[in-house]
Amino acid sequence: MTTPKVMRIMALSINTAARAGSIIREVMQRGNLGIVEKEGKDDLQTEADRSAQQCIIASLSRKFPNITIIGEEGDSNLNVKAEWLVSEENEEFLTHSCPEELLEIKEEEFVIWVDPLDGTSEYTKGLLEHVTVLIGIAIKDRAVGGIIYQPYYKQSNGDIGRTVWGLKGLGTGGFEPKSPPKGQMIITTTRSHLTPLVQQALDALSPTKVIKVGGAGYKVLQLLEGKAHAYVFASPGCKRWDTCAPEAVLEAYGGTLTDLAGIHYSYAADVDYKNRMGVLATIPEISHSEIARQVPNDIIATLRA
Ligand SMILES: Nc1ncnc2c1ncn2[C@@H]1O[C@H](COP(=O)(O)O)[C@@H](O)[C@H]1OP(=O)(O)O
Ligand SMILES: [Mg+2]
Ligand SMILES: [Mg+2]
Ligand SMILES: [Mg+2]
C-alpha cells in the first residue's frame, strides 16, 4: 500500500522545519541578521526569515509540485544550496496510522502555509525561546496538520530544538501535555504588538494573570503546556501563516483557535491573508464559545470596520 499523501507531507514538513531551524541558528551565530523593515518597524524580516523560507518552500515544492505553498516572505528563489534541500521524510512520524478520513486526499486539495520564522521581533532582541518555525497543512479551507519547531528549546538531555506536531484525527506529539491551574484565567498575548484595543479585550475577560510572549506559535505552546488558558489578540496583525499550524496542533489536541468572534478562518489558497478579526484560542477544558461571548461587541465592530 502506498503511504497516504497527508502522512508524507507531514513527515517531510517535520524534517524540513528542523532544517529551517538550524538555518535560523546559523544566521544568529554568524551575527549579521540583515534586518529590513517590511511594512514598518513592527514588521521586520531578517536573513534567517528569508533563508529558512527558501529551504522550506524549495524542499516541499520539489516533492509535492502540485501543492499550493504560501510563505510569509513572498516569492522565493527555489534554486537553493543542495544542503538546504530536505528530501527525507521523518520515519518516526510515518510509524503512525493515517486517520481514516484523510486517506484519500489528493495533492491538489492541500494548501501549505509557511511562517519560516515566527517571532521575528523577539529573534532580533535575543528572546530566542519565543522563536518557532511554522508549517501549517490545510485541506481545502481547514487547518488539519501542523508543525511547530522551536529551534532554541533546551531538551533535558542537552539537545537543542524540538518538534511539536498535530494532525486532526491522529493527535499530537513532541511535548508533555499539561493543564493550567484550575480556578484561574491566565491569558497569553502579544509582547511586541500591544495596542489599546488589544488591552481593552484583555480587560474585558478579567484575567487572573497575563503572559506577554512573542509569536503565535509560542503562545499556542503556552496553552499546550499548561501555562495559560487562552490566547487573546484583538488586532488584525496576524496572517494565515501565523495561525494555520498553531490552529491545527491545538485542535488536534482538543482545543480551539478562531477569530475573536469565534469563527474559524479559511485557509483556502485564494483568501485574503490577513486575520483581520484577531485571534482567540482556548484549551480543551475551557468553553471557547463562552469566552467568545464575553468579547465586547464594540471590539468586534472595531475589528470588522
Ligand atoms: N502588526 C503586525 N505586523 C506584522 N506581523 C505581525 C503583526 N502583529 C502580529 N504579527 C505576526 O504575528 C506573530 C504573533 O504576534 P505577536 O508576537 O505580536 O503576538 C508575530 O510574531 C508576527 O509574526 P512574524 O514574527 O512571523 O512576522
Ligand atoms: Mg514577519
Ligand atoms: Mg509569524
Ligand atoms: Mg514570520
Side-chain angles (χ1 to χ4, degrees), residues 1-202:
M1 204 190 106
T2 55
T3 310
K5 275 273 144 70
V6 70
M7 298 303 281
R8 291 190 50 212
I9 294 166
M10 284 288 294
L12 185 65
S13 297
I14 285 172
N15 284 358
T16 307
R19 182 68 187 98
S22 68
I23 292 171
I24 290 170
R25 290 190 296 261
E26 284 157 26
V27 171
M28 182 56 79
Q29 222 154 19
R30 280 203 304 273
N32 181 5
L33 297 189
I35 301 173
V36 298
E37 289 183 7
K38 292 195 288 181
E39 283 175 21
K41 62 175 177 35
D42 284 343
D43 195 9
L44 305 178
Q45 184 197 65
T46 72
E47 186 54 38
D49 299 69
R50 294 184 286 273
S51 299
Q53 169 153 318
Q54 278 185 290
C55 157
I56 296 168
I57 298 197
S59 300
L60 296 181
S61 64
R62 198 157 294 206
K63 286 274 174 166
F64 302 106
N66 300 316
I67 296 184
T68 303
I69 306 176
I70 303 170
E72 175 180 358
E73 311 308 343
D75 290 335
S76 294
N77 175 4
L78 300 182
N79 289 319
V80 307
K81 305 181 211 183
E83 69 214 66
W84 284 3
L85 278 177
V86 179
S87 56
E88 303 258 307
E89 295 164 8
N90 187 274
E91 286 183 14
E92 194 187 322
F93 181 80
L94 289 175
T95 62
H96 296 285
S97 316
C98 183
E100 192 81 35
E101 65 277 16
L102 301 180
L103 284 171
E104 307 284 344
I105 314 290
K106 293 182 198 61
E107 217 171 295
E108 295 74 15
E109 298 179 80
F110 289 95
V111 183
I112 303 182
W113 293 89
V114 177
D115 187 342
L117 196 168
D118 184 46
T120 300
S121 168
E122 285 70 25
Y123 180 70
T124 64
K125 293 189 162 64
L127 296 166
L128 299 176
E129 191 139 357
H130 303 217
V131 170
T132 59
V133 176
L134 303 175
I135 303 181
I137 294 152
I139 297 175
K140 300 209 175 84
D141 61 347
R142 292 303 303 272
V144 172
I147 320 295
I148 304 176
Y149 181 78
Q150 218 183 347
Y152 292 97
Y153 182 84
K154 292 182 200 73
Q155 308 251 20
S156 49
N157 66 3
D159 287 357
I160 194 89
R162 70 162 166 178
T163 304
V164 168
W165 60 263
L167 180 64
K168 286 187 186 169
L170 175 60
T172 54
F175 67 100
E176 202 70 57
K178 206 176 159 211
S179 297
K182 288 200 176 65
Q184 291 188 46
M185 179 58 174
I186 306 172
I187 298 185
T188 183
T189 193
T190 185
R191 191 201 64 82
S192 62
H193 298 101
L194 199 71
T195 63
L197 197 70
V198 168
Q199 188 59 49
Q200 214 179 306
L202 294 173

Side-chain angles (χ1 to χ4, degrees), residues 233-298:
F233 188 46
S235 154
C238 283
K239 310 210 173 55
R240 293 300 195 273
W241 43 76
D242 293 303
T243 50
C244 186
E247 175 178 330
V249 176
L250 182 64
E251 299 207 345
Y253 179 69
T256 310
L257 187 150
T258 66
D259 70 15
L260 263 190
I263 297 166
H264 279 103
Y265 281 111
S266 164
Y267 294 92
D270 57 356
V271 293
D272 171 11
Y273 302 160
K274 282 203 169 123
N275 293 358
R276 292 180 189 280
M277 296 300 294
V279 179
L280 176 63
T282 52
I283 57 168
E285 295 91 331
I286 291 257
S287 164
H288 190 83
S289 52
E290 183 66 34
I291 305 284
R293 262 198 301 278
Q294 287 172 31
V295 177
N297 289 335
D298 57 328

